[in-house]
Amino acid sequence: MGTALAAAADAAGLDFSPAQKLLVVGVCALTAGAAHMALAVFNDGVRPFMLDFIHGRATRNATGAVSFGLSAGFVFGLGAPMALSTGVLNPWLLFLPTDVLGILAPRRWLAPLLGAAWGAVVVYGLGGANELAHGLPVDFLTAMRQMSTPILFLFALFPALAVTKQFGRLRGALTGAVTLGLVVLTMRVWPGVFAGAPAMAVGVMMLIGFAVAADVRTARAPGTVAAEGAGGVGVGVGPGAEDPMASLFSSGAARLRRHLPLFMALGAGVCALAQMKVFGGGEATSFLIAKGQYAEAAQVDFYRVFGFLPLIATTALASGAYGIAGFTLVYPIGYLLPNPFVAAAVGALVFALEVLALSSIGRALGRLPSVRDCSEHLRAAIGDALGLAILFGSLMAANAMGGGLGILICGGLYLLNEAMGRPVVRMAAAPAAVLAGGVALNGLYWLGLFTPVAGGPA
């Protein structure tokens, strides 16, 4: 797998066609404009703060500072290393900076210009950085491809983890056993298929099946009364009283619908970007696209939708600010479409349907509490699985580029980050440590204190 990935990444090489460069620049300009208008941001942690900004209770600079604080670690610790090691762009590298630039821009016309400038830096600058890094005595970018195997295989466990968190050990063990069996079967019978794909499909279906069954049992229980507020949030208002959450959610949905053309343009751009095969919506997805496994990449990103849809829907309704990628359905759809023009049309339609259906989705989530809760467990499980995979893969990369000394430097930087209270978020700390460790090993080489590992990174 490592050899195939290396060949694919070398072929990609972050060398974009003029059309791809233009699209990246245009999408970054559009996303920065949407962030400036407080209509959409990519960072889910920033979206709740947009309500105060929209109503004038927080300044542009203060909101921009929050966005920068929540995003910087992911941009430089995860987005840039993943793009450099796979040859595939990702949303942390493109959209988190445009969140910050758009919010901080003092004028509406300036925000798209700043976003376009960032897009140009990415498409014109990463290629040079990639060539420079590959020419170093210690090629840490090639070493980072060691991350692909743990990320792809451990990611397949997230449904079993989510089932265990929500429904206990017995059902979790059952889901884990099914996952393992399907992975082994796929590797044996369908060697050309990503081994985790069937396992994730069945695991997610089992989780949703358990959740729906729990909601059905609750609804049939004697004396059960469904308390439903707007967007599915029961707030305990009396008969005839106006539900404050209903008013807030209704206002947020109406605000988004008023800007439907902008969201359609956003959906068109993101979906076309995904179709061009230079963009992946997640960690595992980036490696799969680098290998040319687009159907498997679409499957992986489709399952992530279940984990983030309730969060995106409720925060969008409450704040009046949507997600830059919507429910992220445009990612898997884009991977599978035949050309960017069809992708643009389909992406615009998908975003229009999402925005128009927000209120209905919120109400549906209120009637299915276990299904709504399973999304939180899915997100936590994805974070746990990827956290271990990225840490383990980063140590493999450290070993590939520097042996025991590489593990000491990179593992030490990771542990130091933990001891210091995580100034770099945990998910991004290990890849950032590999980059810093690679720079340190090259410095030691030039000082005559280190000899690169024989054979170099695999």
Side-chain angles (χ1 to χ4, degrees):
M1 179 175 290
T3 303
L5 177 62
D10 287 339
L14 289 167
D15 185 16
F16 306 105
S17 70
Q20 291 167 343
K21 292 177 180 177
L22 183 62
L23 181 60
V24 170
V25 170
V27 170
C28 287
L30 187 60
T31 56
H36 176 86
M37 298 169 66
L39 288 171
V41 290
F42 179 76
N43 195 321
D44 294 320
V46 173
R47 200 171 302 115
F49 293 94
M50 300 304 289
L51 181 62
D52 285 339
F53 174 64
I54 291 168
H55 290 283
R57 296 189 292 268
T59 66
R60 185 173 291 279
N61 287 340
T63 308
V66 169
S67 180
F68 178 83
L70 293 174
S71 302
F74 285 102
V75 176
F76 300 108
L78 187 61
M82 289 293 294
L84 288 169
S85 61
T86 63
V88 178
L89 300 177
N90 57 70
W92 306 287
L93 180 63
L94 293 184
F95 302 148
L96 289 180
T98 58
D99 280 358
V100 178
L101 293 171
I103 293 172
L104 288 177
R107 296 287 183 270
R108 181 178 294 187
W109 60 266
L110 183 59
L113 292 181
L114 292 175
W118 175 253
V121 167
V122 170
V123 294
Y124 289 101
L126 277 185
N130 188 57
E131 292 178 8
L132 176 64
H134 284 307
L136 294 173
V138 181
D139 185 355
F140 52 87
L141 292 185
T142 299
M144 289 187 71
R145 295 171 189 160
Q146 297 285 335
M147 297 170 61
S148 64
T149 300
I151 286 178
L152 291 175
F153 279 88
L154 286 176
F155 189 76
L157 286 174
F158 80 86
L161 298 179
V163 170
T164 305
K165 288 174 180 288
Q166 187 170 6
F167 297 107
R169 299 175 183 176
L170 182 60
R171 293 180 181 178
L174 174 62
T175 309
V178 171
T179 298
L180 177 61
L182 286 173
V183 168
V184 173
L185 179 65
T186 304
M187 294 177 70
R188 182 71 176 177
V189 179
W190 306 291
V193 175
F194 167 47
M200 284 188 288
V202 174
V204 170
M205 286 190 291
M206 291 177 71
L207 174 64
I208 294 175
F210 292 144
V212 171
D215 286 333
V216 170
R217 287 195 300 271
T218 300
R220 290 177 178 176
T224 300
V225 178
E228 179 191 344
V233 180
V235 292
V237 295
E242 182 180 358
D243 185 344
M245 290 300 294
S247 176
L248 176 63
F249 277 39
S250 176
S251 173
R255 181 175 189 267
L256 297 176
R257 286 196 297 269
R258 285 197 300 271
H259 295 88
L260 189 61
L262 174 64
F263 288 114
M264 293 178 69
L266 197 57
V270 175
C271 195
L273 189 62
Q275 193 282 328
M276 285 190 167
K277 312 300 189 294
V278 296
F279 175 88
E283 302 88 342
T285 312
S286 294
F287 286 109
L288 288 169
I289 289 176
K291 295 172 60 181
Q293 295 182 319
Y294 307 125
E296 289 84 350
Q299 185 177 348
V300 168
D301 272 354
F302 178 73
Y303 298 142
R304 291 175 69 106
V305 172
F306 294 102
F308 289 89
L309 187 151
L311 172 67
I312 294 170
T314 53
T315 55
L317 287 168
S319 67
Y322 199 39
I324 287 295
F327 294 145
T328 70
L329 276 169
V330 289
Y331 295 163
I333 291 173
Y335 304 148
L336 299 177
L337 291 176
N339 63 67
F341 300 104
V342 173
V346 173
L349 178 61
V350 169
F351 254 53
L353 294 175
E354 288 180 5
V355 172
L356 294 175
L358 266 176
S359 294
S360 299
I361 291 172
R363 288 192 294 270
L365 290 172
R367 291 190 288 267
L368 297 169
S370 294
V371 173
R372 185 180 66 243
D373 292 345
C374 81
S375 71
E376 299 179 11
H377 295 293
L378 272 175
R379 290 197 306 276
I382 288 172
D384 291 343
L386 286 176
L388 176 61
I390 290 173
L391 175 59
F392 185 60
S394 296
L395 291 176
M396 290 172 62
N399 181 66
M401 69 184 184
L405 181 60
I407 292 176
L408 172 64
I409 294 175
C410 298
L413 289 173
Y414 179 86
L415 292 174
L416 181 62
N417 183 71
E418 290 286 305
M420 294 172 63
R422 298 182 197 140
V424 179
V425 291
R426 177 178 283 174
M427 187 75 76
V434 174
L435 289 184
V439 172
L441 289 173
N442 278 290
L444 292 173
Y445 170 82
W446 287 320
L447 292 172
L449 299 175
F450 171 72
T451 301
V453 175

